[in-house]
Amino acid sequence: MKIEEQPFIWAVGIENTFVTQIERGERPLDEYDLTQHYQFWKEDLDRARESGASMIRYGIPWHLVEKEENIFDWSWVDGVMDYFKNHRELVPIIDLMHYGTPHWLKNEFANGKYPDYVARYAKEFAKRYGHFIKYYTPLNEPYVNAEFCGLNAVWPPYLEGLSGFYSLMTQLGKGIINTVNEIQAVISDARFVHVDATKKYFSYDPRLQEEVKLWNENRFVMWELVQGRISEFHPLYDFMLEYGVSPDTLTWFQNNQITIDIIGLNYYPQFSVHEVKRDKKGYIIYPHILGGGEELKEIVEEVHKRYQRPIFITETSFRGSEEERLKWLDECYDTCLQIQKDDIPLLGLTWFPFFDLVDWEYRTSGKSIEEELLPFGLYTLTMKDGVLQREKNRVGYKFEKLAKKRRESNC
C-alpha cells in the first residue's frame, strides 16, 4: 500500500548529518558516530518500532560507503537494510544525501561532476536494496545545504553570498534530478519524498515588503527548479541571473524536469519563521521568530495551493524542556488534524530527531560531545562511562500514546 493511501502516519527520524572534511581544522560531524548509532543501531531501531511509528527517515553515510571513488562497501548498511527487510512494520524513507560528501570528491558540491557521482551512488543503492526499499529522499534540505555551504561559508565548499547559494542550489538540483532518474531506471515503483526546510518571512516595516515577497518566493526555489518552473516569466528568474545562474542552466532544468510524488516539509517553531527588519546600522537582517501551529498551517496551505501534491511533515520537534516539547507535540498534532479537515492531503508527521542530537557547532566549538547534546528527542541521551544511554522521556511516552491511539482508530 502506498503511504498516500494509509491512515495518518506517525514517523520518526534519526539525525544523520555527515560533514566530515577537516581540512580547515574542524572536527568531523558524523551524527551516527557522535551519538553512537553505528554501535547501537539495532537497539535504536527496536525503540523506533516500539514508539508506534510506522515509518522512519533513515540516512545512508555515503562518505563511508564510497571511501574510494566507485568502490562501494555496503557491509554496515547491509545489516541495517536486513533489519528493515525483516521488520516490514517500520518502513524506511531513505535519506540518500544529508549534507556530507566523500572525501575524494574535491570541492564537494561545487565539483562539476557531483550530480553524476551522487546519482551513481544512488543507483548502486537501488540495485542492491530496491527490491524492498521503495521510498527515497534524494537530498535532504537543499535550502539549508545551500545556505551553510554556499551562502554563509560554514561547511565545504565554503562558498559565500547569493552567488554561492544559487551555484550550490543548481548543483544540488541537478543531483536530485539525476538521482531520481537513475533510481527509476532500476525501481519502476520507487516513490520520492522531496524534503526541504520550511521558511516564512514577514515584516512590520512597510518599506521591506518587496524583500519579504522575494524571500517568500525564494523558499520554494528547489521545488521550482526540479519541476522546471523557472523560466523568464518566473519572479526569481532575473534575480538568479543577477547572481550568476546562466539562462542555459535554467533551460536545462526546464528540459529535464521531474514530477514530485510527495512534498516533505521540515518545520521547527524556533527556526522556520523569520522577521525581516533593519539592524541599528541599517542592514537588512532575518532573525528567527518563534512560530507555532498557525504558521505551520499557513505554510502547508501555501505549498498545497502551489503544487497540489501530497504533503508529509518530514521533520518537526522543539529544542527545550520536556514540557515545551509536549506542548509542541500536542499543538502540532492538532494543527495536522485541522489541515486534514480542510481536505489537504497531509499524510502524517515525523518527530525529528528520535533521540537527542549533537549540536552542529561541535565541529568548531572544542566542547565535548556531552556538552553539545541538544534536548530535542523522544529519548534523552546521557553519557555514562563513555556510553550514551538512551532513556525514553515523557515526550516519547506521549508520542507513543498518540501514535497507537490513531493507528487503532484507523482514521
Side-chain angles (χ1 to χ4, degrees):
M1 180 186 292
K2 293 180 180 179
I3 62 174
E4 299 96 309
E5 300 168 352
Q6 296 183 30
F8 190 85
I9 296 166
W10 290 84
V12 294
I14 295 176
E15 169 66 15
N16 60 101
T17 296
F18 306 117
V19 186
T20 58
Q21 288 81 0
I22 57 174
E23 287 80 3
R24 294 193 176 188
E26 310 98 328
R27 293 185 293 186
L29 180 66
D30 180 333
E31 289 284 349
Y32 281 2
D33 178 46
L34 297 175
T35 60
Q36 301 177 356
H37 179 67
Y38 288 125
Q39 181 179 354
F40 299 116
W41 64 267
K42 184 179 183 300
E43 294 88 339
D44 290 338
L45 294 181
D46 285 343
R47 294 183 181 98
R49 284 196 300 123
E50 293 165 3
S51 74
S54 59
M55 299 197 80
I56 184 170
R57 293 190 62 211
Y58 197 84
I60 306 302
W62 181 21
H63 66 292
L64 295 183
V65 167
E66 194 180 357
K67 286 185 177 180
E68 299 180 56
E69 184 179 347
N70 208 24
I71 299 176
F72 297 91
D73 177 5
W74 301 104
S75 54
W76 183 82
V77 179
D78 279 344
V80 180
M81 294 304 113
D82 282 345
Y83 183 98
F84 288 129
K85 188 176 182 180
N86 294 325
H87 296 282
R88 297 299 182 95
E89 68 273 25
L90 185 65
V91 177
I93 302 171
I94 296 298
D95 258 354
L96 287 164
M97 270 299 303
H98 210 104
Y99 301 120
T101 59
H103 292 197
W104 53 262
L105 183 59
K106 302 306 178 184
N107 295 320
E108 294 82 26
F109 301 111
N111 187 304
K113 292 186 177 180
Y114 161 77
D116 296 324
Y117 289 145
V118 72
R120 181 184 65 191
Y121 142 71
K123 184 176 183 178
E124 291 299 317
F125 182 95
K127 286 164 58 178
R128 194 173 186 89
Y129 309 111
H131 58 291
F132 67 98
I133 301 291
K134 302 299 182 182
Y135 292 96
Y136 297 89
T137 293
L139 185 138
N140 175 69
E141 293 188 334
Y143 192 102
V144 177
N145 205 324
E147 185 178 31
F148 273 64
C149 301
L151 181 67
N152 298 327
V154 176
W155 290 343
Y158 305 107
L159 304 185
E160 195 166 8
L162 280 169
S163 59
F165 177 87
Y166 286 125
S167 175
L168 262 291
M169 185 60 75
T170 53
Q171 281 282 92
L172 298 174
K174 289 179 179 179
I176 288 170
I177 290 173
N178 288 358
T179 292
V180 167
N181 290 335
E182 290 291 357
I183 291 177
Q184 284 182 330
V186 177
I187 315 168
S188 60
D189 57 345
R191 302 290 287 170
F192 297 93
V193 184
H194 291 276
V195 174
D196 212 345
T198 56
K199 298 285 184 180
K200 181 175 180 60
Y201 295 88
F202 75 97
S203 180
Y204 297 112
D205 187 341
R207 296 168 298 180
L208 293 177
Q209 295 311 309
E210 284 302 312
E211 190 80 9
V212 170
K213 183 179 178 181
L214 171 65
W215 284 97
N216 275 331
E217 182 63 43
N218 197 51
R219 61 184 166 156
F220 297 121
V221 64
M222 180 274 288
W223 292 304
E224 297 290 287
L225 266 179
V226 300
Q227 294 179 96
R229 290 176 169 228
I230 303 182
S231 67
E232 61 268 29
F233 305 108
H234 193 279
L236 287 178
Y237 184 83
D238 289 337
F239 191 69
M240 293 179 72
L241 262 57
E242 180 182 349
Y243 285 97
V245 180
S246 72
D248 288 346
T249 295
L250 295 177
T251 298
W252 184 93
F253 281 99
Q254 294 168 41
N255 293 337
N256 292 276
Q257 61 186 267
I258 58 174
T259 299
I260 287 180
D261 296 326
I262 299 165
I263 291 177
L265 301 180
N266 294 354
Y267 179 85
Y268 292 91
Q270 293 148 305
F271 310 123
S272 294
V273 182
H274 299 259
E275 180 184 357
V276 182
K277 62 181 183 179
R278 293 190 183 275
D279 64 15
K280 293 181 180 179
K281 295 183 178 180
Y283 295 108
I284 297 176
I285 56 175
Y286 313 88
H288 298 113
I289 301 297
L290 185 64
E294 181 179 348
E295 287 80 9
L296 171 60
K297 188 171 185 288
E298 289 175 1
I299 291 169
V300 170
E301 289 170 346
E302 290 166 347
V303 170
H304 180 252
K305 181 179 179 181
R306 183 178 285 233
Y307 299 123
Q308 297 293 307
R309 306 302 301 160
I311 296 169
F312 201 158
I313 307 301
T314 40
E315 290 185 24
T316 194
S317 61
F318 196 98
R319 176 184 174 180
S321 67
E322 290 183 17
E323 287 295 338
E324 290 172 310
R325 280 175 274 167
L326 284 167
K327 181 181 178 182
W328 172 241
L329 177 58
D330 283 334
E331 183 178 355
C332 184
Y333 181 45
D334 288 345
T335 300
C336 289
L337 295 180
Q338 293 172 24
I339 292 168
Q340 287 188 318
K341 287 179 180 178
D342 292 337
D343 293 327
I344 292 176
L346 180 64
L347 305 178
L349 70 86
T350 308
W351 192 272
F352 196 107
F354 180 52
F355 48 76
D356 294 341
L357 59 85
V358 175
D359 194 349
W360 293 350
E361 296 295 325
Y362 173 84
R363 264 178 71 79
T364 56
S365 71
K367 296 180 181 179
S368 68
I369 291 173
E370 190 171 9
E371 290 175 304
E372 291 287 17
L373 289 172
L374 297 181
F376 274 101
L378 306 179
Y379 278 77
T380 300
L381 296 185
T382 305
M383 188 73 78
K384 184 177 180 180
D385 299 327
V387 176
L388 283 172
Q389 307 292 325
R390 280 94 157 117
E391 182 178 355
K392 187 189 296 186
N393 55 44
R394 287 188 295 150
V395 196
Y397 283 108
K398 182 61 177 290
F399 179 95
E400 182 178 339
K401 180 180 178 180
L402 289 172
K404 290 184 176 179
K405 180 180 179 180
R406 185 66 187 258
R407 186 174 61 200
E408 290 168 1
S409 69
N410 196 34
C411 63

